[in-house]
Amino acid sequence: MSTTSTNTDTAGAVETGATPVPRGRVIFASLVGTSIEFYDFYIYATAAISVFPLLFFPATSATGALLASLATFGVAFIARPVGSVLFGHYGDRTGRKATLLGSLLVMGIATVLIGLLPTYAQIGLWAPAMLAIMRFCQGLGLGGEWSGAALLATEYAEKGKRARAAMWPQLGAPIGFLFANGFFLLLTVWMGHDSTDPAHDGAFLTWGWRVPFLASAVIVALGVYVRVKLEETPVFARAVARGEKVKTPLKTVFRTSWRQLIQGTFIMLATYTLFYLFTTWILSYSIGAVENGFLGIPYQDFLVLQLIAILFFAAFVPVSGALADRFGRKPFLIVVTSLILIFGMTFNAFLSPDVMGTGEAANMGLMLVFLIIGMILMGLTFGVQSAILPELFPTNVRYTGSAIAYNFSSILGAAVAPFIAAWLASSYGVGWVGVYLGSMAVLTLLALFSTRETRDLDLDNVEDAAVSA
């Protein structure tokens, strides 16, 4: 830990009477929580493509079962704004630490219970109903998790290095993806599961798919242990000492910061759409049966490509933080979002079955290039979101404001993205999925152009700036 960071922590502690917290502990606490949350989220996303259509949603067609399963995937995004309001209220009223513990436990318990659910063959329609309820609870927990972790990182950050500090919880997304999908890959290889010809009585579909969900209990316990040892953030503690807490953060944020809520929601839109196209929809399109219009790539082969590409996602998250601190959030995101728009126009050139090939003849090298480009752009756009969204709001409603913007964007850009993309690809061709991504990028660009730069704002004084904007 550097001398500067030690001095910063100590200064905050002296002013608020709090015990100084080592920066390494702050980094680990913000990173471990989001890693767990995204792990839980991704194992559901993977199972929604490869497991749940077979075990929870019997239908007359494979496409119908897939769409039904993806619909429950979207249930969590309806829950996330509810979670943002609930956990945001307590995060702004009682503090960041206790709220972060609560969100982690809600998400973790729901995930473990999914691993214990009976299937449709065992209890009929109660199975998908219970799955949807647990998925709702997952979304509720994640609705409060991300904002709390982002605030933990930003409100402890050194001056001029806020985006670099804020990128740590963003690394939880690729880390969670690697653990979740790596786990599924190992299980399917070990149990000999073939996604193109699944055996309903095989070990993987009988019990193996449950293991990643149940294993969440162990890593949730680790996350709780780490977060119990945290102190309250110095920025929030100073706000409490100045008597700036509000009784109704939700009412206050809509009254004083409604413009920032709209801006933050659409700033995150292209990021969310890209994120879930490349972690959920692309899996269904790539491993689906050729006779249904998909590519028919074996699940294990495609998952290896995804795991390679996700390393580029992780590598470019810290690059994003450094560049956003150097050039500013707004100009940096305008450039990256413009590149996402251009990339969307290339989908047909990469993914068309005539170009890519299908089954054993699929061009795996071309697919890997496509995935890597998407994940590089994902790292660049995602890494800075945990800095710019909290910076839009004053301290006394920062948890609520950033959580609502982040999670309302999840409905517009993530909840429906796999569903819309699957429908577009099957009805009009895969090129229209890229057009869909490009249209979301245009909306994000409009939001960015309407937003002023936040890099040099003092988080202790951002309230005046936000109100006068």
Side-chain angles (χ1 to χ4, degrees):
M1 183 176 65
S2 68
T3 304
T4 304
S5 67
T6 304
N7 292 341
T8 302
D9 292 343
T10 303
V14 170
E15 185 175 345
T16 63
T19 303
V21 178
R23 190 160 303 278
R25 185 183 299 172
V26 174
I27 289 172
F28 187 65
S30 63
L31 176 61
V32 71
T34 53
S35 297
I36 293 168
E37 300 284 358
F38 280 107
Y39 167 84
D40 288 354
F41 220 65
Y42 286 141
I43 56 177
Y44 189 100
T46 301
I49 300 297
S50 58
V51 175
F52 296 152
L54 302 172
L55 299 183
F56 287 83
F57 300 98
T60 56
S61 69
T63 300
L66 174 62
L67 291 178
S69 181
L70 288 177
T72 64
F73 176 78
V75 166
F77 296 98
I78 299 173
R80 285 171 68 162
V82 179
S84 69
V85 172
L86 175 65
F87 290 107
H89 175 85
Y90 289 104
D92 286 325
R93 286 289 298 156
T94 64
R96 317 319 194 196
K97 175 182 174 179
T99 308
L100 277 167
L101 284 170
S103 65
L104 182 63
L105 286 171
V106 169
M107 180 83 173
I109 291 171
T111 302
V112 172
L113 289 177
I114 289 174
L116 298 173
L117 289 179
T119 65
Y120 182 90
Q122 295 169 313
I123 61 170
L125 290 175
W126 282 105
M130 293 171 66
L131 182 65
I133 292 171
M134 291 302 101
R135 181 60 175 167
F136 185 90
C137 292
Q138 277 194 317
L140 202 68
L142 190 58
E145 165 61 30
W146 178 86
S147 294
L151 266 58
L152 186 66
T154 57
E155 292 186 345
Y156 268 109
E158 299 175 52
K159 184 178 180 180
K161 297 181 179 180
R162 206 154 53 217
R164 275 170 280 190
M167 70 87 188
W168 287 106
Q170 303 302 80
L171 277 175
I175 290 173
F177 186 95
L178 283 168
F179 276 101
N181 287 281
F183 207 156
F184 268 106
L185 177 61
L186 290 174
L187 285 171
T188 55
V189 171
W190 173 43
M191 296 179 176
H193 178 69
D194 181 2
S195 63
T196 61
D197 185 23
H200 285 257
D201 58 349
F204 179 74
L205 289 179
T206 301
W207 62 270
W209 68 271
R210 299 178 184 275
V211 176
F213 290 92
L214 298 176
S216 180
V218 177
I219 51 181
V220 166
L222 172 63
V224 169
Y225 173 78
V226 171
R227 286 184 170 177
V228 163
K229 292 183 171 295
L230 286 176
E231 299 291 338
E232 194 51 77
T233 70
V235 171
F236 181 79
R238 288 193 291 270
V240 172
R242 294 193 298 266
E244 294 178 352
K245 284 200 302 182
V246 294
K247 292 183 179 180
T248 53
L250 179 63
K251 179 180 177 181
T252 302
V253 76
F254 274 101
R255 178 174 56 83
T256 64
S257 304
W258 61 271
R259 291 184 182 86
Q260 288 76 22
L261 286 173
I262 296 172
Q263 290 167 336
T265 296
F266 284 93
I267 284 172
M268 188 72 194
L269 186 61
T271 303
Y272 256 132
T273 305
L274 179 64
F275 199 3
Y276 283 91
L277 289 182
F278 272 75
T279 56
T280 304
W281 167 77
I282 190 65
L283 177 63
S284 66
Y285 178 74
S286 298
I287 71 172
V290 175
E291 57 268 25
N292 293 325
F294 302 123
L295 298 180
I297 298 173
Y299 174 69
Q300 289 94 342
D301 293 346
F302 182 77
L303 195 51
V304 169
L305 298 185
Q306 270 197 313
L307 292 174
I308 293 172
I310 209 75
L311 297 175
F312 290 83
F313 177 10
F316 278 84
V317 166
V319 173
S320 174
L323 292 177
D325 274 337
R326 180 174 180 182
F327 298 107
R329 286 60 161 139
K330 180 176 178 176
F332 174 71
L333 278 175
I334 286 174
V335 171
V336 175
T337 307
S338 298
L339 292 174
I340 292 173
L341 171 60
I342 295 170
F343 180 55
M345 301 304 104
T346 69
F347 271 44
N348 201 56
F350 277 105
L351 295 179
S352 169
D354 294 336
V355 176
M356 178 66 66
T358 59
E360 296 297 329
N363 189 334
M364 303 297 279
L366 183 63
M367 177 61 79
L368 181 59
V369 170
F370 176 77
L371 292 174
I372 287 174
I373 294 172
M375 287 302 180
I376 287 174
L377 292 172
M378 188 62 226
L380 291 174
T381 184
F382 189 65
V384 70
Q385 299 295 334
S386 54
I388 189 171
L389 294 189
E391 288 169 351
L392 292 174
F393 300 94
T395 302
N396 56 3
V397 294
R398 184 170 295 132
Y399 203 128
T400 302
S402 60
I404 289 175
Y406 182 84
N407 289 296
F408 266 97
S409 185
S410 75
I411 293 180
L412 299 177
V416 297
F419 192 92
I420 290 176
W423 175 73
L424 285 172
S426 62
S427 301
Y428 301 102
V430 72
W432 281 94
V433 179
V435 173
Y436 167 55
L437 173 61
S439 66
M440 298 300 101
V442 169
L443 293 175
T444 291
L445 285 171
L446 292 175
L448 287 168
F449 282 119
S450 73
T451 306
R452 60 199 186 86
E453 180 56 52
T454 60
R455 177 183 59 180
D456 298 321
L457 287 175
D458 183 344
L459 290 186
D460 278 318
N461 299 320
V462 74
E463 182 171 11
D464 294 337
V467 172
S468 62

